[in-house]
Amino acid sequence: MRLTRSTAAPPPLAGGNRSLRGSICTAILLALLLVLAGCGAEYPQSTINPHSDFAEIIHSLYVSIFWWTMLILAVVWVLLTYVVVKYRRKSEDEQPRQIRGHLGLEIGWTVGPALIVIAIAIPSIQAVFATQRPVSEDAMEVHVTGHQFWWEFHYPEQGITTANELWLPVDQPVNLRLHSNDVIHSFWVPKLGGKRDANPVPAVREGQDPKYNWLYFTPLQTGVFMGQCAEFCGQSHALMAMRVVVDTEEGFQDWVDRWFRSEGADFPTEAADFPSEGADSPSQALAEVAEYAAEYGNGAGDLDGSGVPVVATGNEVLPVQAASTHDDDPLVARGREVFLGSTCIACHAVQGTSAQGVIGPNLTLFGARHTLGAGIMENNRENLIRWIKDPMGMKAAVAMPGVDYPGGNWPATGLSDDEVEAIAVYLLSLK
Ligand code: CUA
């Protein structure tokens, strides 16, 4: 019988065997490659390389569960191999002993997994409590606002507002207050902390506190850490990235100082006083901002606790600490003039200037940012020029107009190539 079957086997079967062997070899090679890649490469959004106390708690939970599952895997494989070998079919007409219902087995495979679930639940619940522990008194507070599709970071103690790059001092506990300006986003910087949802905060009655999500951690190493919105929030959810720059205490303080002196000694400047070509356009744009905020303002910028939209969030009139050092470059001066004389300032703010818009990202120290468009591309002159001309071509549903099309309730900017380049050079000089 067997002989007949084997001789009758057509050539394709032999070919099939060869291809089976080939695919097993490929699978082994791929597995090896995967293991080697895991050893060597540095993945920017890897959770298995923690750099904060929060991420370490998550990571140690992951590692312990990983090794327990490896143990379970080993037990299963040993048992499986034993059964496969011992009870294999030894002759053609052999019938294994038939059993129906086995109380011992039933109890075993119900209680066993239940115990495993309990064993996983205990450290998981401990990790939940450990990552929600009371905040220490010296923690620095930062208000994080998710927008479609970028991140706003407001430092209430320092009076700073920035976007898409969160600067933090190393070894200093930070308490992030998370909320959204529109739909649900989720803050996730795998090496530091998250995921934690940034929810739209519902309006509350006077005297009541709006309910926020908080994320509390201490960064333990300096470096630039990549993050990503982790809750589907619309067309450009995948393009809503961020960076966390963890610097030394001095480096962070220097960044704070630079934020306040990033611009010249013209602060505070009344919009109408600003010597730009179209002298009335800045004030007109500012009036539009106020109008827009009144209409769409629920949560525009940062909620104050009062529920009233705050125009120029955190940009209280603060003393300027040093004079600008960038004005010697004529292109920078030209770009500054064009920027402040255009509708850019209806949405964007630059500390120390008449640009105090709160709808879009605050552009103070823009030149010091690593990336552009919420972490989607390198921040350089070429990309910035492309971005200002055609933001929607680079990011779907972006609320920013291009030079020849409207966006986010604003008309096309109508800027010439020279003006766009000058603005790019000016913004990159802010650092
Ligand atoms: Cu914001 Cu996804």
Side-chain angles (χ1 to χ4, degrees):
M1 186 76 167
R2 227 181 240 185
L3 192 71
T4 323
R5 212 183 277 165
S6 140
T7 46
L13 188 66
N17 277 343
R18 212 177 301 135
S19 78
L20 180 72
R21 223 173 295 138
S23 43
I24 290 174
C25 279
T26 314
I28 291 172
L29 274 174
L30 275 176
L32 263 173
L33 248 170
L34 208 67
V35 169
L36 286 174
C39 293
E42 167 65 6
Y43 293 104
Q45 293 199 152
S46 165
T47 50
I48 56 174
N49 191 1
H51 288 302
S52 78
D53 53 347
F54 185 106
E56 273 174 4
I57 292 166
I58 306 287
H59 181 245
S60 66
L61 176 67
Y62 167 75
V63 168
S64 71
I65 290 177
F66 174 80
W67 287 116
W68 283 112
T69 53
M70 285 300 108
L71 182 69
I72 293 166
L73 186 75
V75 170
V76 169
W77 274 67
V78 166
L79 280 174
L80 185 68
T81 311
Y82 172 77
V83 169
V84 164
V85 172
K86 185 166 164 62
Y87 299 103
R88 73 188 186 280
R89 197 179 194 190
K90 287 165 194 131
S91 68
E92 282 294 320
D93 47 311
E94 193 186 7
Q95 266 278 6
R97 188 165 63 87
Q98 303 295 303
I99 56 165
R100 180 162 293 136
H102 188 290
L103 188 64
L105 275 179
E106 303 268 2
I107 292 173
W109 65 50
T110 306
V111 172
L115 288 177
I116 292 171
V117 169
I118 291 170
I120 292 172
I122 292 171
S124 301
I125 292 167
Q126 281 172 335
V128 168
F129 279 96
T131 53
Q132 301 268 11
R133 68 198 183 288
V135 174
S136 75
E137 274 185 12
D138 61 333
M140 185 173 80
E141 198 170 301
V142 180
H143 298 174
V144 178
T145 310
H147 297 261
Q148 281 170 316
F149 300 91
W150 57 282
W151 295 95
E152 180 176 344
F153 303 113
H154 174 59
Y155 300 67
E157 291 153 49
Q158 288 82 358
I160 284 179
T161 302
T162 189
N164 302 323
E165 268 183 30
L166 174 64
W167 282 66
L168 297 175
V170 71
D171 295 326
Q172 153 84 50
V174 62
N175 198 20
L176 304 181
R177 193 191 80 176
L178 306 169
H179 88 279
S180 165
N181 190 48
D182 32 58
V183 298
I184 303 173
H185 305 271
S186 183
F187 182 94
W188 190 37
V189 182
K191 291 183 180 182
L192 298 177
K195 312 164 176 170
R196 195 149 289 169
D197 281 359
N199 298 317
V201 176
V204 290
R205 258 172 299 181
E206 217 181 306
Q208 282 182 320
D209 286 332
K211 208 164 155 38
Y212 293 102
N213 276 351
W214 296 82
L215 181 65
Y216 173 52
F217 63 87
T218 306
L220 299 174
Q221 198 182 315
T222 57
V224 180
F225 301 99
M226 275 176 70
Q228 166 74 45
C229 177
E231 177 71 49
F232 180 71
C233 55
Q235 287 183 58
S236 285
H237 155 71
L239 302 178
M240 189 172 164
M242 70 185 113
R243 297 285 187 286
V244 177
V245 183
V246 180
D247 207 338
T248 57
E249 167 102 48
E250 303 79 57
F252 176 75
Q253 200 47 53
D254 176 59
W255 178 79
V256 171
D257 293 343
R258 280 190 291 135
W259 195 93
F260 284 110
R261 58 160 199 261
S262 78
E263 260 288 348
D266 63 314
F267 188 80
T269 305
E270 289 304 319
D273 292 340
F274 200 80
S276 63
E277 278 172 324
D280 59 336
S281 44
S283 52
Q284 192 191 326
L286 283 174
E288 283 174 0
V289 170
E291 219 174 275
Y292 185 95
E295 190 171 348
Y296 303 100
N298 188 16
D302 192 87
L303 280 178
D304 210 7
S306 61
V308 174
V310 182
V311 176
T313 313
N315 293 333
E316 303 88 20
V317 177
L318 287 151
V320 172
Q321 296 170 8
S324 172
T325 51
H326 311 302
D327 276 352
D328 4 335
D329 183 344
L331 200 52
V332 170
R334 163 94 179 118
R336 188 170 189 275
E337 196 178 291
V338 176
F339 177 80
L340 294 171
S342 74
T343 49
C344 300
I345 65 169
C347 295
H348 296 288
V350 173
Q351 169 66 16
T353 72
S354 54
Q356 295 291 302
V358 295
I359 293 161
N362 188 307
L363 300 177
T364 309
L365 291 188
F366 179 85
R369 288 185 200 156
H370 300 79
T371 59
L372 167 64
I376 63 171
M377 70 200 106
E378 198 191 326
N379 188 14
N380 58 39
R381 190 194 287 207
E382 197 192 357
N383 285 342
L384 183 55
I385 288 171
R386 276 176 64 207
W387 175 262
I388 297 169
K389 283 184 178 169
D390 180 22
M392 215 176 290
M394 303 171 92
K395 189 169 182 173
V398 70
M400 174 168 152
V403 291
D404 53 12
Y405 59 80
N409 294 342
W410 298 98
T413 60
L415 295 163
S416 70
D417 284 1
D418 289 350
E419 287 172 329
V420 169
E421 188 181 8
I423 289 177
V425 170
Y426 162 64
L427 291 176
L428 289 169
S429 78
L430 303 172
K431 51 189 172 188

